[in-house]
Amino acid sequence: MSRTEVFLQKVNDLGGGGAILRAPESLFYLSGFSGGEGTLVITRDARCLLVDSRYTLQAKAEAPEYEILPYNADISDILGAVTSVCYEGDFLSASAFERLKQKVSGKTWVDVSEALLMLRKTKDTMELNAIANAVALADDAFSYTVSRIKKGMHEYEVAALLEGYMRREAGAQPAFDTVCASGFRSALPHGAASDKTLQDGDFLTMDYGCLLNGYRSDITRTVVIGKAESWQKEIYNIVLYAQGLAENAAKGGMDASALDQIARDAISNFGYGEYFGHALGHGVGLAIHEYPTVSPKSMHKIEYGDVFTIEPGVYLPDRGGVRIEDMLYATPDGHAILTKSTKEFMEIQ
Ligand code: ZN
Ligand code: ZN
């Protein structure tokens, strides 16, 4: 069954007769179109991709299952007798949804966002390969960059080394705003690279990834500039230990919340529980944050084919923090760790 056929079953389960989709991830996931701007109109009888003239040729090449129509084609016409239509409540702004309802009147509307996220949660072999390639490129960027980091560099220069490598080697873009946070800034879990310079005794947290052939990677490594103090070794080892426990336990069929609990308990047992305030991990794929959510309140199960991060951290305000993040996927009897970069404690002289 094609992805569109599987999706249509979900639409049917929700009581819908068709769907209108505009999120770039949905366009790519269902049709293969990577242009980012367009509208899918899908019913039992119709598979249409509406794009403006800039994208016509690209859409024809990338979305062979779909009929390519001009962006202003009559959507009501395509929907025909369908009365109940699925849309993406998570993506459409309130005003865009109002405009859609005016254009396509007399329908009942069903939000299909959750169903789409659940479909995308589990990756097929092609997706796993694409993600593995994006992770491998990020790994290479790490070894390239750590050998070039020097005291006195700005954080943004480190970010440029990471991003520049991935663009030069494979034409990849950053998967999200690269985090390079040093010294006291490393206590900010998402400190984007600033003009702060690297100083002796700083932790340096690099959290970055790339977007390659539609799929993303996400990795974090933390190193020390110069000589580490004992508190730095201590929290590094605690985070590493907690991550290892969670990674070893990860397998298909388990509750994502239970996985979170393993790392959280380990950090709490060392007395640092209050300094680990975020979720343990998240799914990664077409988007940087997708299902499964690996958090205390998650209702998700880890299933075979899910790709997700395990990224515990300890952040001591005004002093510094450590996060270590790998990407994994769940196999039938366990897991595979995609991220290969070293996690050895590193002091950069
Ligand atoms: Zn990350
Ligand atoms: Zn992450």
Side-chain angles (χ1 to χ4, degrees):
M1 258 200 306
S2 76
R3 287 184 188 163
T4 302
E5 283 159 1
V6 176
F7 171 68
L8 267 169
Q9 269 182 1
K10 295 277 171 200
V11 168
N12 195 50
D13 294 346
L14 289 168
I20 301 175
L21 306 176
R22 287 186 180 154
E25 292 86 0
S26 304
L27 303 184
F28 185 79
Y29 185 75
L30 293 176
S31 80
F33 173 60
S34 66
E37 247 183 273
T39 304
L40 289 180
V41 187
I42 303 170
T43 71
R44 286 264 147 246
D45 307 315
R47 275 152 207 212
C48 300
L49 170 55
L50 283 56
V51 292
D52 73 47
S53 58
R54 284 174 300 165
Y55 292 117
T56 310
L57 290 176
Q58 183 183 349
K60 282 186 172 152
E62 291 180 341
E65 265 186 80
Y66 280 74
E67 182 183 355
I68 310 304
L69 297 173
Y71 76 98
N72 55 0
D74 188 337
I75 294 178
S76 296
D77 217 41
I78 302 168
L79 289 172
V82 167
T83 54
S84 178
V85 182
C86 289
Y87 73 105
E88 297 157 302
D90 284 359
F91 177 75
L92 283 192
S93 66
S95 56
F97 186 38
E98 280 311 311
R99 285 195 299 277
L100 180 62
K101 282 196 283 193
Q102 276 166 19
K103 200 189 286 184
V104 184
S105 57
K107 310 289 186 194
T108 53
W109 296 89
V110 184
D111 189 355
V112 76
S113 303
E114 178 72 13
L116 274 166
L117 285 172
M118 288 307 285
L119 277 182
R120 277 171 40 202
K121 173 171 172 280
T122 297
K123 274 65 179 174
D124 62 29
T125 310
M126 202 186 73
E127 293 183 292
L128 280 175
N129 286 335
I131 292 169
N133 287 337
V135 174
L137 184 63
D139 275 334
D140 291 346
F142 179 71
S143 41
Y144 172 86
T145 299
V146 284
S147 66
R148 287 166 175 79
I149 292 174
K150 293 206 166 44
K151 192 173 69 173
M153 257 183 189
H154 295 99
E155 290 172 357
Y156 60 69
E157 291 176 87
V158 178
L161 285 170
L162 292 164
E163 293 174 8
Y165 180 89
M166 297 187 290
R167 187 178 289 272
R168 259 194 328 275
E169 294 303 309
Q173 293 170 266
F176 53 90
D177 272 352
T178 297
V179 170
C180 284
S182 64
F184 70 94
R185 296 191 76 251
S186 62
L188 313 169
H190 282 102
S194 78
D195 61 0
K196 181 186 171 307
T197 55
L198 308 181
Q199 301 299 332
D200 260 336
D202 278 357
F203 267 132
L204 168 63
T205 298
M206 293 159 277
D207 183 355
Y208 66 97
C210 67
L211 170 60
L212 183 63
N213 299 321
Y215 287 85
R216 292 175 204 261
S217 55
D218 186 5
I219 167 178
T220 307
R221 289 293 182 268
T222 302
V223 301
V224 173
I225 307 300
K227 193 109 191 76
E229 291 180 34
S230 60
W231 68 272
Q232 291 176 306
K233 280 186 188 149
E234 182 187 335
I235 64 171
Y236 189 92
N237 285 331
I238 290 168
V239 171
L240 185 61
Y241 173 73
Q243 194 206 27
L245 281 186
E247 287 188 347
N248 289 338
K251 61 171 194 276
M254 80 186 296
D255 289 331
S257 59
L259 193 54
D260 180 286
Q261 193 68 48
I262 290 169
R264 207 164 294 281
D265 284 349
I267 290 174
S268 294
N269 288 341
F270 285 101
Y272 288 96
E274 63 180 299
Y275 302 109
F276 173 33
H278 56 74
L280 181 65
H282 55 88
V284 181
L286 295 172
I288 192 62
H289 291 125
E290 45 186 62
Y291 288 171
T293 301
V294 187
S295 72
K297 288 188 176 156
S298 175
M299 302 297 283
H300 294 151
K301 269 204 185 311
I302 305 284
E303 293 170 299
Y304 170 40
D306 286 5
V307 173
F308 54 96
T309 68
I310 293 190
E311 50 178 305
V314 166
Y315 311 93
L316 305 181
D318 304 322
R319 297 179 81 188
V322 173
R323 179 169 60 260
I324 307 172
E325 174 178 29
D326 285 338
M327 277 174 67
L328 291 79
Y329 75 91
T331 61
D333 46 7
H335 65 271
I337 299 175
L338 294 168
T339 313
K340 307 283 189 232
S341 291
T342 180
K343 294 188 271 193
E344 255 176 66
F345 188 74
M346 223 185 270
E347 294 169 306
I348 295 181
Q349 299 308 326

